[in-house]
Amino acid sequence: MTEQERRQRIRQWAAVYEETYRQMDSSMPLLENFSLWKSACTGDPIPGNEMRQWLKDTLDAIRDLHADSILEVGCGHGLLLLRLAGECARYVGVDFSAAALNRLCKALEKLPPEQLENLDVDLCQAEAADLASVGEEIFDALVYNSVVQYFPDTAYLLYALEHGLKHIRKGGKVFIGDVRNAAALPLFRISRLLCELPGGTSAARFREELNSMADEEELLVPPEFWHSLQGERLARMRAFTRPKPGSAYNELMKFRYDVTLVDEKTPPLSAKLVLPWEKISEAGKPQDILAGILAGLLLPVPQTCGLSVTGIPDARTHKERSVCTSMLAEGFSPAPTLASALDLAENAARSVRELGLLPAEIHALAQDHGMRADILLDHRDGLSLTALFYAQDPEKMEGAHA
Protein backbone atom coordinates (compact mmCIF):
# COMPACT_ATOMS: atom_id res chain seq x y z
CA MET A 1 0.00 0.00 0.00
CA THR A 2 1.36 3.43 -0.93
CA GLU A 3 1.51 6.31 1.52
CA GLN A 4 -1.29 8.04 -0.40
CA GLU A 5 -3.46 4.93 -0.10
CA ARG A 6 -2.76 4.75 3.62
CA ARG A 7 -3.81 8.37 4.12
CA GLN A 8 -6.96 7.78 2.13
CA ARG A 9 -7.87 4.69 4.19
CA ILE A 10 -7.34 6.59 7.44
CA ARG A 11 -9.52 9.46 6.22
CA GLN A 12 -12.27 7.01 5.27
CA TRP A 13 -12.32 5.36 8.70
CA ALA A 14 -12.17 8.75 10.41
CA ALA A 15 -15.21 9.92 8.45
CA VAL A 16 -17.11 6.71 9.23
CA TYR A 17 -16.51 6.97 12.96
CA GLU A 18 -17.08 10.69 13.16
CA GLU A 19 -20.58 10.11 11.80
CA THR A 20 -21.07 6.96 13.88
CA TYR A 21 -20.29 8.73 17.15
CA ARG A 22 -22.52 11.65 16.24
CA GLN A 23 -25.45 9.30 15.69
CA MET A 24 -24.76 7.06 18.68
CA ASP A 25 -27.81 6.45 20.85
CA SER A 26 -27.44 9.01 23.63
CA SER A 27 -30.28 7.49 25.66
CA MET A 28 -28.03 4.58 26.71
CA PRO A 29 -25.74 5.02 29.73
CA LEU A 30 -22.27 5.74 28.36
CA LEU A 31 -20.69 3.06 30.52
CA GLU A 32 -23.07 0.47 29.04
CA ASN A 33 -23.20 1.75 25.47
CA PHE A 34 -22.10 -1.17 23.28
CA SER A 35 -24.09 -0.04 20.25
CA LEU A 36 -20.96 0.02 18.06
CA TRP A 37 -20.47 -3.73 18.47
CA LYS A 38 -22.64 -5.64 16.04
CA SER A 39 -22.18 -9.12 14.68
CA ALA A 40 -20.64 -9.19 11.23
CA CYS A 41 -22.42 -12.51 10.74
CA THR A 42 -25.99 -11.48 11.57
CA GLY A 43 -25.87 -7.68 11.79
CA ASP A 44 -27.53 -7.90 15.19
CA PRO A 45 -26.09 -6.25 18.31
CA ILE A 46 -23.87 -8.60 20.31
CA PRO A 47 -25.84 -9.42 23.50
CA GLY A 48 -25.19 -7.08 26.39
CA ASN A 49 -24.16 -9.82 28.82
CA GLU A 50 -21.52 -11.02 26.35
CA MET A 51 -20.23 -7.48 25.83
CA ARG A 52 -20.02 -6.93 29.58
CA GLN A 53 -17.93 -10.09 29.89
CA TRP A 54 -15.75 -8.90 26.99
CA LEU A 55 -15.25 -5.57 28.76
CA LYS A 56 -14.45 -7.20 32.10
CA ASP A 57 -11.85 -9.46 30.48
CA THR A 58 -10.26 -6.46 28.75
CA LEU A 59 -10.14 -4.43 31.95
CA ASP A 60 -8.62 -7.38 33.82
CA ALA A 61 -5.90 -7.75 31.17
CA ILE A 62 -4.99 -4.06 31.40
CA ARG A 63 -5.02 -4.11 35.20
CA ASP A 64 -2.57 -7.00 35.03
CA LEU A 65 -0.06 -4.54 33.52
CA HIS A 66 0.11 -2.86 36.95
CA ALA A 67 0.48 0.53 35.30
CA ASP A 68 0.23 3.71 37.33
CA SER A 69 0.00 5.83 34.18
CA ILE A 70 -1.66 4.87 30.88
CA LEU A 71 -1.67 6.30 27.37
CA GLU A 72 -4.67 4.90 25.49
CA VAL A 73 -4.68 5.32 21.73
CA GLY A 74 -8.17 4.97 20.30
CA CYS A 75 -10.06 5.69 23.53
CA GLY A 76 -13.40 6.20 21.75
CA HIS A 77 -16.20 7.23 24.08
CA GLY A 78 -14.36 5.98 27.14
CA LEU A 79 -15.43 2.41 27.89
CA LEU A 80 -11.97 1.77 29.34
CA LEU A 81 -10.94 5.27 30.39
CA LEU A 82 -14.02 5.95 32.53
CA ARG A 83 -13.36 2.77 34.50
CA LEU A 84 -9.56 2.80 34.73
CA ALA A 85 -8.68 6.48 35.13
CA GLY A 86 -9.69 6.47 38.79
CA GLU A 87 -7.26 3.61 39.43
CA CYS A 88 -4.30 5.43 37.86
CA ALA A 89 -2.26 8.45 38.83
CA ARG A 90 -2.37 9.66 35.21
CA TYR A 91 -4.45 8.71 32.15
CA VAL A 92 -4.34 10.26 28.67
CA GLY A 93 -6.84 9.26 26.00
CA VAL A 94 -6.21 9.84 22.29
CA ASP A 95 -8.69 9.41 19.45
CA PHE A 96 -9.00 10.65 15.88
CA SER A 97 -12.74 11.36 16.28
CA ALA A 98 -13.76 14.75 17.64
CA ALA A 99 -17.30 13.45 18.15
CA ALA A 100 -16.05 10.58 20.33
CA LEU A 101 -13.90 12.89 22.45
CA ASN A 102 -16.79 15.34 22.79
CA ARG A 103 -19.00 12.55 24.18
CA LEU A 104 -16.26 11.46 26.53
CA CYS A 105 -15.58 15.00 27.71
CA LYS A 106 -19.28 15.47 28.56
CA ALA A 107 -19.29 12.18 30.44
CA LEU A 108 -16.31 13.27 32.52
CA GLU A 109 -18.00 16.59 33.31
CA LYS A 110 -21.01 14.71 34.69
CA LEU A 111 -18.93 12.83 37.25
CA PRO A 112 -19.44 13.81 40.90
CA PRO A 113 -17.10 16.69 41.83
CA GLU A 114 -15.31 14.63 44.49
CA GLN A 115 -14.58 11.94 41.89
CA LEU A 116 -13.58 14.37 39.14
CA GLU A 117 -11.11 16.28 41.31
CA ASN A 118 -9.18 13.07 41.97
CA LEU A 119 -8.75 12.30 38.26
CA ASP A 120 -5.69 13.36 36.30
CA VAL A 121 -7.03 12.89 32.77
CA ASP A 122 -6.33 14.60 29.47
CA LEU A 123 -7.90 14.00 26.05
CA CYS A 124 -6.15 14.61 22.73
CA GLN A 125 -7.43 14.45 19.17
CA ALA A 126 -4.80 12.73 17.05
CA GLU A 127 -4.26 9.68 14.94
CA ALA A 128 -2.26 6.72 16.14
CA ALA A 129 0.90 7.49 14.17
CA ASP A 130 1.10 11.16 15.22
CA LEU A 131 1.15 11.64 18.98
CA ALA A 132 2.86 15.03 18.95
CA SER A 133 -0.05 16.46 20.94
CA VAL A 134 0.93 14.21 23.86
CA GLY A 135 4.19 16.14 24.14
CA GLU A 136 7.18 14.52 25.86
CA GLU A 137 5.18 12.77 28.56
CA ILE A 138 6.21 9.23 29.56
CA PHE A 139 3.81 6.50 30.74
CA ASP A 140 3.93 3.03 32.26
CA ALA A 141 1.70 1.43 29.65
CA LEU A 142 0.43 1.97 26.12
CA VAL A 143 -3.04 0.63 25.25
CA TYR A 144 -4.67 0.04 21.87
CA ASN A 145 -8.00 -1.72 22.31
CA SER A 146 -10.25 -2.67 19.41
CA VAL A 147 -8.53 -0.14 17.19
CA VAL A 148 -5.72 -1.68 15.10
CA GLN A 149 -8.25 -3.26 12.73
CA TYR A 150 -8.76 0.28 11.40
CA PHE A 151 -5.08 0.78 10.60
CA PRO A 152 -4.41 0.66 6.84
CA ASP A 153 -1.70 -2.04 6.93
CA THR A 154 0.96 -3.64 9.10
CA ALA A 155 3.56 -1.09 8.01
CA TYR A 156 1.43 1.65 9.56
CA LEU A 157 0.88 -0.54 12.63
CA LEU A 158 4.64 -0.94 13.15
CA TYR A 159 5.23 2.77 12.62
CA ALA A 160 2.50 3.70 15.11
CA LEU A 161 3.80 1.25 17.71
CA GLU A 162 7.41 2.37 17.41
CA HIS A 163 6.40 6.01 17.84
CA GLY A 164 3.97 5.16 20.64
CA LEU A 165 6.80 3.46 22.50
CA LYS A 166 8.62 6.78 22.69
CA HIS A 167 6.07 7.66 25.37
CA ILE A 168 6.62 4.48 27.39
CA ARG A 169 9.26 4.15 30.10
CA LYS A 170 11.93 1.47 29.96
CA GLY A 171 10.36 -1.72 31.26
CA GLY A 172 6.88 -0.50 30.28
CA LYS A 173 4.25 -2.63 28.59
CA VAL A 174 1.89 -2.47 25.63
CA PHE A 175 -1.58 -4.00 25.42
CA ILE A 176 -3.19 -4.47 21.99
CA GLY A 177 -6.71 -5.80 22.36
CA ASP A 178 -9.25 -7.24 19.94
CA VAL A 179 -6.81 -7.97 17.11
CA ARG A 180 -8.59 -9.66 14.22
CA ASN A 181 -6.91 -13.01 13.59
CA ALA A 182 -5.74 -13.47 9.99
CA ALA A 183 -5.14 -17.18 10.66
CA ALA A 184 -8.82 -17.55 11.61
CA LEU A 185 -10.19 -15.76 8.54
CA PRO A 186 -11.36 -18.97 6.77
CA LEU A 187 -13.26 -20.01 9.92
CA PHE A 188 -14.72 -16.52 10.30
CA ARG A 189 -16.00 -16.65 6.73
CA ILE A 190 -17.48 -20.09 7.32
CA SER A 191 -19.19 -18.69 10.41
CA ARG A 192 -20.78 -15.99 8.26
CA LEU A 193 -21.94 -18.51 5.66
CA LEU A 194 -23.54 -20.65 8.37
CA CYS A 195 -25.77 -17.65 9.15
CA GLU A 196 -26.55 -16.89 5.50
CA LEU A 197 -26.97 -20.18 3.63
CA PRO A 198 -29.86 -22.66 3.86
CA GLY A 199 -29.32 -26.18 5.13
CA GLY A 200 -29.78 -27.66 1.66
CA THR A 201 -26.70 -25.87 0.28
CA SER A 202 -24.45 -28.36 -1.49
CA ALA A 203 -20.73 -28.64 -0.79
CA ALA A 204 -19.96 -27.36 -4.29
CA ARG A 205 -22.19 -24.33 -3.79
CA PHE A 206 -20.72 -23.74 -0.34
CA ARG A 207 -17.21 -23.65 -1.77
CA GLU A 208 -18.30 -21.21 -4.50
CA GLU A 209 -19.83 -18.87 -1.93
CA LEU A 210 -16.74 -19.09 0.23
CA ASN A 211 -14.40 -18.31 -2.66
CA SER A 212 -16.50 -15.35 -3.79
CA MET A 213 -16.57 -13.55 -0.45
CA ALA A 214 -15.23 -10.01 -0.65
CA ASP A 215 -11.87 -9.03 0.77
CA GLU A 216 -11.91 -7.67 4.31
CA GLU A 217 -11.75 -3.89 4.68
CA GLU A 218 -10.38 -4.16 8.20
CA LEU A 219 -6.80 -5.12 9.03
CA LEU A 220 -6.22 -8.73 10.06
CA VAL A 221 -2.94 -9.73 11.72
CA PRO A 222 -1.63 -13.29 12.20
CA PRO A 223 -0.39 -14.09 15.73
CA GLU A 224 3.06 -14.95 14.37
CA PHE A 225 3.49 -11.28 13.34
CA TRP A 226 4.06 -10.24 16.95
CA HIS A 227 6.86 -12.72 17.53
CA SER A 228 9.25 -11.27 14.94
CA LEU A 229 8.76 -7.52 15.26
CA GLN A 230 11.19 -5.17 13.58
CA GLY A 231 12.13 -1.76 14.91
CA GLU A 232 14.57 -0.02 17.20
CA ARG A 233 12.62 -0.88 20.34
CA LEU A 234 10.01 -3.33 19.09
CA ALA A 235 12.65 -5.90 18.20
CA ARG A 236 13.64 -6.10 21.87
CA MET A 237 10.14 -6.75 23.11
CA ARG A 238 8.67 -10.10 24.01
CA ALA A 239 5.14 -10.85 22.80
CA PHE A 240 2.39 -12.82 24.51
CA THR A 241 -0.53 -13.60 22.18
CA ARG A 242 -3.59 -14.73 24.10
CA PRO A 243 -7.04 -15.88 22.98
CA LYS A 244 -10.01 -13.95 24.27
CA PRO A 245 -10.92 -15.70 27.53
CA GLY A 246 -14.71 -15.50 27.32
CA SER A 247 -16.88 -18.57 26.75
CA ALA A 248 -19.41 -16.85 24.47
CA TYR A 249 -19.57 -18.18 20.93
CA ASN A 250 -19.47 -14.79 19.22
CA GLU A 251 -16.94 -13.47 16.73
CA LEU A 252 -15.10 -11.37 19.34
CA MET A 253 -14.30 -14.49 21.35
CA LYS A 254 -13.62 -16.87 18.46
CA PHE A 255 -11.78 -14.81 15.89
CA ARG A 256 -9.92 -12.11 17.83
CA TYR A 257 -7.07 -12.14 20.30
CA ASP A 258 -5.06 -9.91 22.63
CA VAL A 259 -1.36 -9.11 22.64
CA THR A 260 0.88 -7.96 25.47
CA LEU A 261 4.34 -6.65 24.62
CA VAL A 262 6.88 -6.61 27.44
CA ASP A 263 10.01 -4.50 27.21
CA GLU A 264 12.41 -7.34 27.88
CA LYS A 265 13.88 -10.28 26.02
CA THR A 266 14.10 -12.76 28.86
CA PRO A 267 13.76 -16.39 27.75
CA PRO A 268 10.35 -17.98 28.36
CA LEU A 269 10.00 -20.18 31.41
CA SER A 270 10.51 -23.84 30.62
CA ALA A 271 7.94 -26.37 31.79
CA LYS A 272 8.85 -29.49 33.72
CA LEU A 273 6.64 -31.47 31.34
CA VAL A 274 5.49 -30.65 27.79
CA LEU A 275 2.70 -32.71 26.26
CA PRO A 276 0.83 -32.33 22.97
CA TRP A 277 -2.96 -32.45 23.09
CA GLU A 278 -3.00 -35.29 20.58
CA LYS A 279 -1.02 -37.52 22.90
CA ILE A 280 -3.17 -36.68 25.92
CA SER A 281 -6.46 -37.16 24.07
CA GLU A 282 -5.39 -40.55 22.74
CA ALA A 283 -4.93 -41.83 26.29
CA GLY A 284 -8.53 -41.18 27.36
CA LYS A 285 -10.75 -38.30 28.36
CA PRO A 286 -8.35 -35.31 28.24
CA GLN A 287 -9.73 -33.56 31.33
CA ASP A 288 -9.26 -36.72 33.40
CA ILE A 289 -5.74 -37.27 32.05
CA LEU A 290 -4.79 -33.65 32.76
CA ALA A 291 -6.33 -33.78 36.22
CA GLY A 292 -4.22 -36.82 37.03
CA ILE A 293 -1.04 -35.17 35.79
CA LEU A 294 -1.70 -31.95 37.68
CA ALA A 295 -2.48 -33.86 40.87
CA GLY A 296 0.92 -35.55 40.65
CA LEU A 297 2.98 -32.42 40.02
CA LEU A 298 5.08 -31.18 42.90
CA LEU A 299 5.68 -27.45 42.48
CA PRO A 300 6.67 -25.99 45.84
CA VAL A 301 8.01 -22.75 44.36
CA PRO A 302 5.41 -20.16 43.25
CA GLN A 303 5.56 -19.06 39.61
CA THR A 304 7.11 -22.41 38.60
CA CYS A 305 5.73 -23.76 35.32
CA GLY A 306 4.99 -27.43 35.77
CA LEU A 307 3.12 -28.44 32.64
CA SER A 308 2.70 -27.12 29.11
CA VAL A 309 -0.03 -28.61 26.93
CA THR A 310 0.27 -27.67 23.28
CA GLY A 311 -2.10 -27.89 20.33
CA ILE A 312 -5.38 -27.69 22.27
CA PRO A 313 -8.30 -27.07 19.89
CA ASP A 314 -10.41 -24.06 20.89
CA ALA A 315 -13.86 -25.52 21.58
CA ARG A 316 -15.50 -22.25 20.53
CA THR A 317 -14.51 -22.83 16.88
CA HIS A 318 -15.44 -26.51 16.77
CA LYS A 319 -18.48 -26.06 14.54
CA GLU A 320 -16.58 -24.03 11.94
CA ARG A 321 -13.63 -26.47 11.99
CA SER A 322 -15.91 -29.45 11.54
CA VAL A 323 -17.89 -27.85 8.70
CA CYS A 324 -14.63 -26.86 7.02
CA THR A 325 -13.45 -30.47 7.10
CA SER A 326 -16.75 -31.80 5.79
CA MET A 327 -17.63 -29.26 3.13
CA LEU A 328 -14.16 -28.53 1.77
CA ALA A 329 -12.79 -32.06 1.77
CA GLU A 330 -11.60 -33.39 -1.55
CA GLY A 331 -14.57 -34.88 -3.38
CA PHE A 332 -17.00 -33.05 -1.07
CA SER A 333 -17.35 -36.13 1.10
CA PRO A 334 -18.74 -37.20 3.51
CA ALA A 335 -21.22 -34.30 3.77
CA PRO A 336 -23.21 -33.49 0.61
CA THR A 337 -25.17 -30.64 2.22
CA LEU A 338 -24.63 -27.96 4.84
CA ALA A 339 -27.31 -29.53 7.06
CA SER A 340 -25.54 -32.88 7.10
CA ALA A 341 -22.21 -31.15 7.79
CA LEU A 342 -23.77 -29.48 10.82
CA ASP A 343 -25.12 -32.86 11.96
CA LEU A 344 -21.61 -34.27 11.75
CA ALA A 345 -20.31 -31.34 13.77
CA GLU A 346 -22.95 -31.96 16.42
CA ASN A 347 -22.08 -35.64 16.66
CA ALA A 348 -18.36 -34.90 16.80
CA ALA A 349 -19.00 -32.46 19.64
CA ARG A 350 -19.44 -35.49 21.88
CA SER A 351 -15.75 -36.22 21.43
CA VAL A 352 -13.66 -34.01 23.71
CA ARG A 353 -10.63 -34.81 21.60
CA GLU A 354 -12.13 -33.18 18.50
CA LEU A 355 -14.08 -30.52 20.37
CA GLY A 356 -11.15 -29.25 22.42
CA LEU A 357 -11.50 -27.10 25.52
CA LEU A 358 -12.81 -23.68 26.43
CA PRO A 359 -10.32 -21.28 28.07
CA ALA A 360 -12.64 -21.20 31.09
CA GLU A 361 -12.39 -24.99 31.40
CA ILE A 362 -8.59 -24.80 31.41
CA HIS A 363 -8.61 -22.14 34.14
CA ALA A 364 -11.09 -24.18 36.20
CA LEU A 365 -8.93 -27.29 35.87
CA ALA A 366 -5.91 -25.38 37.14
CA GLN A 367 -7.81 -23.83 40.02
CA ASP A 368 -9.13 -27.25 41.10
CA HIS A 369 -5.51 -28.30 41.66
CA GLY A 370 -4.31 -25.16 43.41
CA MET A 371 -2.60 -23.88 40.29
CA ARG A 372 -3.06 -21.12 37.76
CA ALA A 373 -3.06 -21.31 33.97
CA ASP A 374 -1.74 -18.92 31.36
CA ILE A 375 -3.33 -19.63 27.97
CA LEU A 376 -1.47 -18.53 24.86
CA LEU A 377 -2.46 -18.60 21.22
CA ASP A 378 -0.02 -20.81 19.34
CA HIS A 379 1.63 -18.39 16.92
CA ARG A 380 2.72 -21.21 14.65
CA ASP A 381 -0.79 -22.10 13.47
CA GLY A 382 -2.55 -19.05 14.93
CA LEU A 383 -5.54 -21.12 16.08
CA SER A 384 -4.70 -23.73 18.71
CA LEU A 385 -4.12 -23.03 22.38
CA THR A 386 -1.12 -23.66 24.61
CA ALA A 387 -1.90 -23.97 28.31
CA LEU A 388 0.86 -23.32 30.84
CA PHE A 389 0.09 -24.57 34.34
CA TYR A 390 1.95 -22.75 37.14
CA ALA A 391 2.29 -23.16 40.87
CA GLN A 392 -0.07 -20.66 42.44
CA ASP A 393 1.23 -17.77 44.49
CA PRO A 394 0.09 -18.49 48.08
CA GLU A 395 -0.97 -14.88 48.61
CA LYS A 396 -3.11 -14.95 45.49
CA MET A 397 -4.61 -18.28 46.58
CA GLU A 398 -5.64 -16.73 49.90
CA GLY A 399 -7.23 -13.83 48.04
CA ALA A 400 -9.03 -16.18 45.68
CA HIS A 401 -10.58 -18.10 48.58
CA ALA A 402 -11.50 -14.99 50.57
Side-chain angles (χ1 to χ4, degrees):
M1 184 177 290
T2 66
E3 183 60 26
Q4 183 177 359
E5 290 171 332
R6 290 189 188 99
R7 304 312 308 170
Q8 178 63 21
R9 182 67 61 88
I10 292 168
R11 285 193 293 269
Q12 288 172 346
W13 280 121
V16 166
Y17 272 89
E18 191 69 13
E19 186 62 23
T20 298
Y21 279 115
R22 283 175 180 165
Q23 296 183 3
M24 182 182 286
D25 186 357
S26 58
S27 65
M28 297 177 64
L30 200 59
L31 286 171
E32 288 285 317
N33 194 333
F34 301 115
S35 58
L36 296 182
W37 280 267
K38 296 182 180 179
S39 170
C41 298
T42 66
D44 298 327
I46 296 175
N49 63 317
E50 296 180 9
M51 289 305 307
R52 282 187 285 274
Q53 183 62 55
W54 167 88
L55 179 58
K56 179 186 180 300
D57 293 337
T58 302
L59 292 169
D60 287 346
I62 296 173
R63 287 174 177 135
D64 282 346
L65 303 179
H66 303 292
D68 200 38
S69 57
I70 292 177
L71 172 61
E72 183 188 356
V73 178
C75 62
H77 61 285
L79 281 177
L80 301 182
L81 184 151
L82 291 170
R83 290 170 170 84
L84 293 173
E87 304 172 16
C88 301
R90 176 72 169 147
Y91 202 112
V92 172
V94 175
D95 203 280
F96 63 5
S97 169
L101 294 174
N102 183 52
R103 280 182 174 272
L104 179 51
C105 187
K106 290 180 178 178
L108 288 168
E109 291 171 352
K110 292 179 181 178
L111 293 176
E114 62 274 13
Q115 184 178 351
L116 187 58
E117 68 181 12
N118 290 323
L119 294 182
D120 188 357
V121 174
D122 276 328
L123 304 178
C124 302
Q125 184 179 4
E127 68 168 78
D130 183 6
L131 300 178
S133 56
V134 177
E136 301 297 321
E137 194 169 354
I138 302 297
F139 300 82
D140 295 329
L142 178 63
V143 171
Y144 302 82
N145 187 60
S146 204
V147 65
V148 300
Q149 64 265 37
Y150 306 118
F151 289 2
D153 57 15
T154 55
Y156 181 93
L157 171 58
L158 288 172
Y159 182 87
L161 282 171
E162 193 68 48
H163 283 261
L165 283 170
K166 294 178 180 178
H167 296 278
I168 303 303
R169 65 171 175 80
K170 184 178 181 180
K173 299 177 182 179
V174 183
F175 175 79
I176 307 113
D178 256 11
V179 182
R180 291 196 61 192
N181 190 349
L185 180 58
L187 298 183
F188 170 70
R189 288 177 166 173
I190 287 173
S191 183
R192 291 187 59 181
L193 290 180
L194 292 180
C195 296
E196 299 171 1
L197 299 179
T201 302
S202 68
R205 180 62 179 166
F206 186 88
R207 179 174 287 187
E208 290 175 3
E209 292 288 340
L210 188 63
N211 291 336
S212 67
M213 295 185 81
D215 293 338
E216 298 290 318
E217 293 186 356
E218 296 180 356
L219 180 64
L220 290 87
V221 185
E224 64 180 352
F225 170 84
W226 305 98
H227 296 269
S228 57
L229 294 173
Q230 301 298 314
E232 180 181 351
R233 190 168 172 186
L234 281 171
R236 300 196 305 267
M237 303 196 82
R238 182 176 167 200
F240 297 85
T241 49
R242 294 186 172 93
K244 306 295 284 188
S247 297
Y249 285 71
N250 61 49
E251 64 202 62
L252 297 181
M253 298 298 107
K254 296 191 291 185
F255 309 121
R256 300 193 184 197
Y257 63 95
D258 297 333
V259 184
T260 301
L261 301 178
V262 181
D263 197 5
E264 57 185 23
K265 270 298 184 181
T266 56
L269 291 175
S270 59
K272 292 180 64 177
L273 182 62
V274 179
L275 292 173
W277 171 261
E278 184 177 348
K279 183 175 181 179
I280 292 175
S281 61
E282 285 176 350
K285 187 177 179 182
Q287 286 101 322
D288 293 343
I289 303 297
L290 283 174
I293 295 172
L294 293 175
L297 285 175
L298 296 177
L299 299 173
V301 181
Q303 312 302 318
T304 300
C305 183
L307 173 66
S308 173
V309 181
T310 62
I312 305 173
D314 188 336
R316 297 170 298 188
T317 61
H318 166 72
K319 182 165 64 174
E320 288 83 4
R321 288 185 281 111
S322 181
V323 169
C324 179
T325 299
S326 300
M327 298 296 275
L328 304 184
E330 199 66 33
F332 310 116
S333 177
T337 67
L338 183 55
S340 56
L342 290 171
D343 286 341
L344 283 173
E346 182 64 29
N347 291 332
R350 299 169 189 167
S351 166
V352 178
R353 177 184 178 185
E354 295 183 28
L355 178 63
L357 295 174
L358 296 169
E361 293 174 322
I362 297 173
H363 285 298
L365 187 63
Q367 189 172 20
D368 288 345
H369 292 84
M371 306 182 76
R372 64 184 180 89
D374 190 11
I375 306 173
L376 304 177
L377 196 60
D378 192 323
H379 60 275
R380 291 167 297 183
D381 64 20
L383 295 172
S384 62
L385 311 178
T386 294
L388 306 174
F389 293 90
Y390 290 86
Q392 182 64 281
D393 186 324
E395 293 183 2
K396 291 184 178 179
M397 286 182 67
E398 291 175 6
H401 294 301

